[in-house]
């Protein structure tokens, strides 16, 4: 707070002078050195800031946030080698902190020190053998680096550490699929159904759809819907698969179910609007006659003050470029349903 006040008054130099006198160098502890380091940074005196941060870390070597600030400053001032050495010092001080080791490995790899990076990660694998967070980070790093064999092994380890974690099974299956082993990929994904819930069936359906296996995807969504027939999210998922297959009629049917099952309340406004957009867009794709015949139905219903029909008319008129009709319909909706969530 004191620093902020002086920043606003542009008197940081005075504050630094005050603290330097108040805290003689020989009597400064971690707090004093870190405070001064922060002030030096604020006024752009990077050299003094580095020195102060170094002195602070010596006073309290286990204050890891101070090490991190020093590393950040060294990197931003282009002293990457010094930053690497600081990382190495932190790892010696706190070998039980994997985040610094992961960051150091990343920097080794970026500087072309592949062997050093991989050796460090191997030690991490051994030291944190049952930590899913560490192994997930390793899997991500190996994947980004193109270390395919190591990435696959990391994903396999994750499924052993947390066998009931669906995300690990999905990612491992993806690893197999990307390597062209479709059989192993599908076998791995099917393990998602160890707990045969509607959510897991839908999840497997989505995976199949993303990999252009629309037949199995529809089968999974169908099974999920039979278990939970009032869940609009399941119909939405199946609708997107029908769209992939260009089966516009069935896609419209499922989107209509989404609309019907989604309660008209403020939190569902976006979901209902999406369903209307998709229904109208798919009817238009099916041909002008399909959309025109539905517009005629909505128009008749709207004459009887059917609010939903009015919203569909607005969407259809906009799709057809009939902006005046859309505006008139929306104005009438505001008259007959002034408190409706979607007007």
């Amino acid at each position: 707070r004191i620093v902020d006040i002086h920043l606003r008054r542009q008197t940081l130099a005075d504050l630094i002078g005050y603290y330097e006198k108040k805290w003689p160098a020989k009597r400064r502890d971690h707090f004093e050195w870190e405070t001064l380091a922060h002030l030096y940074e604020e006024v752009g005196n990077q050299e003094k800031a580095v020195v102060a941060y170094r002195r602070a870390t010596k006073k309290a070597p286990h204050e890891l946030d101070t090490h991190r600030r020093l590393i950040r400053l060294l990197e931003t001032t282009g002293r990457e080698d010094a930053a690497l050495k600081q990382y190495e010092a932190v790892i010696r001080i706190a070998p039980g902190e994997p985040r610094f080791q992961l960051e150091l490995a990343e920097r080794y790899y970026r500087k072309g020190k592949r062997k050093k990076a991989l050796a460090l990660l191997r030690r991490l694998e051994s030291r944190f053998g049952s930590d899913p967070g560490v192994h997930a980070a390793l899997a991500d790093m190996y994947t980004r680096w193109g270390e395919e064999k190591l990435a696959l092994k990391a994903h396999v380890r994750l499924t052993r550490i947390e066998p009931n974690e669906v995300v690990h099974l999905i990612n491992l299956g993806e690893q197999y699929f990307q390597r062209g082993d479709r059989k192993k990929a599908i076998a791995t994904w099917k393990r998602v159904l160890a707990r045969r819930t509607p959510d897991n069936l839908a999840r497997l359906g989505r995976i199949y759809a993303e990999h252009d296996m629309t037949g199995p995807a529809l089968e999974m969504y169908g099974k999920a819907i039979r278990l939970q027939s009032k869940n609009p999210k399941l119909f939405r998922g199946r609708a997107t698969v029908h769209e992939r297959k260009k089966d516009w009629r069935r896609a419209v049917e499922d989107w209509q179910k989404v609309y019907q099952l989604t309660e008209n309340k403020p939190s569902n406004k976006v979901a209902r609007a999406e369903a209307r957009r998709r229904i109208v867009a798919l009817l238009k794709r099916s041909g002008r006659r399909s959309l025109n015949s539905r517009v005629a139905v909505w128009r008749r219903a709207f004459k009887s003050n059917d609010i939903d029909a009015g919203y569909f008319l607005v969407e259809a008129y906009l799709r057809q470029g009939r902006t005046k009709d859309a505006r008139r319909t929306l104005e009438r909706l505001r008259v007959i349903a002034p408190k409706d969530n979607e007007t």
Side-chain angles (χ1 to χ4, degrees):
R1 183 173 172 78
I2 293 171
V3 172
D4 290 338
I5 292 168
H6 280 268
L7 266 173
R8 286 196 294 272
R9 294 179 179 174
Q10 297 182 327
T11 56
L12 273 186
D14 294 339
L15 184 62
I16 290 171
Y18 170 76
Y19 280 145
E20 285 177 335
K21 288 179 181 176
K22 184 182 178 183
W23 300 329
K26 290 181 180 179
R27 290 167 53 191
R28 290 173 198 164
D29 208 337
H30 171 266
F31 171 79
E32 289 79 9
W33 279 115
E34 186 172 57
T35 301
L36 283 168
H38 176 60
L39 290 170
Y40 292 142
E41 270 197 276
E42 289 290 344
V43 298
N45 194 333
Q46 313 296 6
E47 292 301 323
K48 275 196 168 184
V50 168
V51 171
Y53 276 129
R54 287 194 189 282
R55 298 293 293 271
T57 59
K58 286 179 181 176
K59 290 289 182 179
H62 292 281
E63 286 287 345
L64 300 183
D65 285 342
T66 308
H67 286 281
R68 184 173 294 286
R69 292 186 188 102
L70 173 56
I71 289 167
R72 175 185 50 78
L73 181 57
L74 290 169
E75 288 184 329
T76 55
T77 54
R79 304 177 221 195
E80 291 189 5
D81 289 339
L84 287 180
K85 287 179 181 177
Q86 193 63 34
Y87 265 117
E88 291 164 350
V90 175
I91 289 168
R92 287 192 296 272
I93 293 163
E97 283 286 341
R99 59 191 170 129
F100 285 97
Q101 297 175 61
L102 290 165
E103 290 170 15
L104 177 57
E106 190 80 64
R107 283 155 178 77
Y108 278 152
Y109 204 89
R110 247 183 0 229
K111 289 181 72 68
K113 299 180 179 183
R114 178 178 176 273
K115 287 184 179 179
K116 258 191 166 183
L118 295 181
L120 179 54
L121 295 188
R122 277 195 298 273
R123 291 196 295 274
L124 264 180
E125 287 173 22
S126 176
R127 184 180 181 87
F128 299 93
S130 60
D131 187 323
V134 170
H135 288 274
L138 293 176
D140 174 66
M141 290 171 79
Y142 289 142
T143 301
R144 285 189 288 103
W145 295 350
E147 301 285 348
E148 294 184 0
K149 290 181 180 179
L150 292 172
L152 180 60
K153 287 178 180 177
H155 282 292
V156 170
R157 281 195 303 275
L158 276 168
T159 62
R160 290 173 182 161
I161 294 167
E162 292 185 317
N164 296 321
E165 183 57 61
V166 169
V167 172
H168 299 332
L169 294 171
I170 293 171
N171 290 338
L172 177 57
E174 187 64 36
Q175 289 286 317
Y176 287 130
F177 193 88
Q178 294 302 323
R179 286 162 178 70
D181 197 335
R182 184 187 174 102
K183 188 176 178 181
K184 265 191 175 179
I186 292 172
T188 302
W189 286 330
K190 281 183 176 179
R191 288 165 59 190
V192 168
L193 299 183
R195 290 182 64 247
R196 200 178 181 81
T197 65
D199 281 348
N200 283 345
L201 284 161
R203 192 174 277 123
L204 186 54
R206 185 168 61 251
I207 294 164
Y208 284 151
E210 287 169 354
H211 295 83
D212 293 322
M213 293 182 272
T214 52
L218 290 174
E219 182 186 353
M220 291 302 110
Y221 276 114
K223 289 179 178 179
I225 288 167
R226 282 195 288 277
L227 291 173
Q228 207 173 68
S229 60
K230 302 295 184 184
N231 187 340
K233 291 180 181 178
L234 301 179
F235 286 98
R236 183 188 183 282
R238 191 170 70 176
T240 61
V241 181
H242 285 312
E243 287 190 46
R244 278 177 177 266
K245 292 188 71 178
K246 294 183 169 52
D247 190 338
W248 312 133
R249 181 180 64 81
R250 286 193 172 89
V252 167
E253 288 173 358
D254 275 346
W255 278 115
Q256 285 174 327
K257 289 293 289 184
V258 173
Y259 193 76
Q260 291 161 9
L261 292 170
T262 304
E263 186 183 351
N264 185 7
K265 59 182 183 179
S267 59
N268 288 337
K269 186 176 180 179
V270 173
R272 284 169 62 82
E274 180 195 33
R276 281 197 302 270
R277 282 196 303 273
R278 295 313 306 147
I279 289 167
V280 172
L282 292 166
L283 286 170
K284 189 175 182 182
R285 279 193 178 187
S286 301
R288 184 182 297 177
R289 186 177 298 175
S290 297
L291 182 55
N292 286 344
S293 63
R294 196 65 67 92
V295 166
V297 172
W298 291 328
R299 194 182 294 123
R300 285 195 299 272
F302 191 47
K303 285 180 181 178
S304 302
N305 292 340
D306 184 323
I307 297 170
D308 286 326
Y311 287 125
F312 276 105
L313 275 177
V314 171
E315 186 66 39
Y317 287 149
L318 289 173
R319 287 272 174 181
Q320 293 174 327
R322 298 164 62 180
T323 53
K324 288 183 180 178
D325 288 333
R327 190 180 300 112
R328 277 196 293 268
T329 305
L330 192 55
E331 286 169 355
R332 185 161 170 242
L333 275 167
R334 285 174 179 159
V335 172
I336 64 176
K339 294 183 180 179
D340 189 74
N341 291 315
E342 301 186 59
T343 55

